[in-house]
Each structure stands twice: as C-alpha cells, then as structure tokens.
C-alpha cells in the first residue's frame, strides 16, 4: 500500500504519524496541511480510520511505520514535531477561559480527547529547551490534572518543567519556573508530602523576591 501512494500522500502520512491517538480534521490541516479530500483518500487506502465526524485515527502499528519513515529525514521530522507542539500548546493556552467558565465540563471532555497529544507537546517543548513557552498553557494542564485527579502525573509534568528551566535566563523564564514550582508543590501536598511542598514554595518565593 505504501509503495502505491503518491509522494504527496507518503509525505502526508509520515506527518500524520506525529499525532498520538485520534486527531481532528483541523489539527491535520494546521500541522500537516492536509485537505479533507486527501484525508478521505488515505481512509480509502485503509491507512486512516474515520473515527467520528471530524476525527481520524491511525492504527498504532501503522503509526509506528509512519514514524520510522518520518525519522529517515531529520529535517522533516523536526518540522512536523515543532508544528505539532505549537498547535497543541496554543490549544492548551486557549482552553483556560472555558475551563474556568460555565462550560467547564465540556472543556474537560475536549482536553480528554486530545490529552495524549497535549502530553507529547509538553514533552517536546521541554526537550527542545523551550519550556518557557509553556507558561500560557501551564494553568490549563495543572487544573486538568487536578480536576481529573491525576495527581502523580501532574506532579511529574511540572517537576520536569521546573528542572528544565534556568530561572537566571530571563524574567519570563523565572516566572515560568516559579509557576512550575507552585503547581508541583500543589500536587505534592495532595500526595501527602506537605513538607516537600513547602520547601518548593520557599524556593518560589525566593525567586519572586528577585529584583
């Protein structure tokens, strides 16, 4: 099936392998520049599954095959990963208002649907040394983990972020580091470790007092 695809469809499938779990038509368009017609063609080739209206999914074995093909070109793989990261971090940032508003339940369900992609985007930003870019998305993910009672996962996510940021780099980096420490402390308290949480909060306060 792969060898019967055009070069364009091969490139498109390689790019779609960056998604984890299901993805929307809009996500495919923004991250991979995929048109609805091209997505339908991949469905016809049995490389995509049309899960529900507007949603698509790749079988995990096929996704791994696409990932292997994508890894053959480092530049293409980096480009796809960066676009994926930017799209989902922007989604997280934009979801905060709904998450704190009247449609909180609906916002949580939407976050549930894409949580695997949000996790990947979070890890990608940290791995690329761009943890400070996560600042607008932090409260969304923090509240999500708190309200879904995923305490351990939340603590680990913010611990990785805090450890990856040097607060001496800039004021923005310092603010992001402080926020990450505060969220990490909140989850530690919920894990029954108030003493460790207080140590982190003392560290955060010390950064806040920096000129």
């Amino acid at each position: 099936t792969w060898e019967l695809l055009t070069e364009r469809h091969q490139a498109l499938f390689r790019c779609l392998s960056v998604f984890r779990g299901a993805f929307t038509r809009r996500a495919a368009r923004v991250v991979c520049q995929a048109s609805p017609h091209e997505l339908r063609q991949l469905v016809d080739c049995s490389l995509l599954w049309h899960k529900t209206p507007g949603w698509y999914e790749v079988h995990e074995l096929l996704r791994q095959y696409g990932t292997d093909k994508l890894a053959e070109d480092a530049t293409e793989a980096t480009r796809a990963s960066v676009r994926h990261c930017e799209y989902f971090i922007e989604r997280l940032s934009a979801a905060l208002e709904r998450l704190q508003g009247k449609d909180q339940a609906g916002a949580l369900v939407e976050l549930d649907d894409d949580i695997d992609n949000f996790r990947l985007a979070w890890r990608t930003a940290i791995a690329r040394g761009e943890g400070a870019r996560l600042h607008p998305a932090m409260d969304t993910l923090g509240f999500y983990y708190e309200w879904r009672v995923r305490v351990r996962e939340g603590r680990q996510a913010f611990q990785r972020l805090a450890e990856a940021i040097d607060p001496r780099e800039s004021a923005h980096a310092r603010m992001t580091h402080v926020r990450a420490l505060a969220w990490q402390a909140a989850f530690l308290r919920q894990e029954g470790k108030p003493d460790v949480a207080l140590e982190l909060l003392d560290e955060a306060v010390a950064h806040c007092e920096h000129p």
Side-chain angles (χ1 to χ4, degrees):
T1 301
W2 174 259
E3 292 178 357
L4 290 174
L5 296 176
T6 64
E7 289 186 7
R8 165 59 186 165
H9 285 94
Q10 287 182 349
L12 179 56
F13 188 74
R14 288 196 299 269
C15 182
L16 293 173
S17 71
V18 301
F19 291 104
R20 296 296 182 271
F23 55 89
T24 64
R25 184 183 296 119
R26 181 175 183 274
R29 175 171 54 81
V30 174
V31 177
C32 300
Q33 290 77 55
S35 70
H37 178 65
E38 288 172 325
L39 293 172
R40 283 196 300 271
Q41 289 177 316
L42 289 176
V43 170
D44 291 340
C45 294
S46 299
L47 292 174
L48 281 187
W49 172 36
H50 196 182
K51 186 178 179 183
T52 56
W55 284 84
Y56 297 86
E57 195 164 21
V58 182
H59 188 283
E60 180 58 21
L61 288 177
L62 294 175
R63 191 195 65 75
Q64 291 176 15
Y65 183 83
T67 299
D68 290 342
K69 291 293 184 182
L70 183 63
E72 294 173 3
D73 187 328
T75 300
E76 182 183 5
T78 299
R79 187 166 55 244
S81 178
V82 168
R83 285 201 300 258
H84 176 279
C85 178
E86 290 175 346
Y87 174 77
F88 283 101
I89 293 304
E90 183 180 336
R91 283 270 321 278
L92 270 179
S93 305
L96 182 60
E97 184 175 352
R98 283 187 62 210
L99 198 61
Q100 294 180 307
K102 295 180 179 179
D103 191 27
Q104 183 184 101
L108 283 170
V109 170
E110 287 188 11
L111 292 172
D112 284 334
D113 291 338
D114 265 328
I115 190 58
D116 290 336
N117 286 299
F118 291 132
R119 289 193 193 103
L120 176 59
W122 187 271
R123 293 195 301 268
T124 299
I126 293 173
R128 290 178 56 81
E130 299 175 349
R133 291 185 56 188
L134 296 173
H135 191 275
M138 295 171 72
D139 286 350
T140 303
L141 197 64
F143 285 130
Y144 173 80
Y145 282 138
E146 187 172 64
W147 294 338
R148 286 304 195 215
V149 199
R150 298 184 180 184
V151 176
R152 182 169 178 267
E153 187 176 351
R155 189 254 303 161
Q156 291 174 336
F158 285 98
Q159 181 178 345
R160 283 194 293 267
L161 178 57
E163 291 174 349
I165 294 179
D166 184 350
R168 298 168 296 181
E169 286 184 359
S170 66
H172 182 66
R174 188 176 301 114
M175 287 192 299
T176 306
H177 184 71
V178 165
R179 198 70 171 168
L181 289 174
W183 270 112
Q184 185 183 347
F187 288 118
L188 280 166
R189 180 183 58 78
Q190 294 176 56
E191 285 184 315
K193 302 174 182 177
D195 293 340
V196 184
L198 285 172
E199 290 177 8
L200 290 180
L201 290 177
D202 286 341
E203 181 183 346
V205 169
H207 287 302
C208 289
E209 292 173 346
H210 190 284

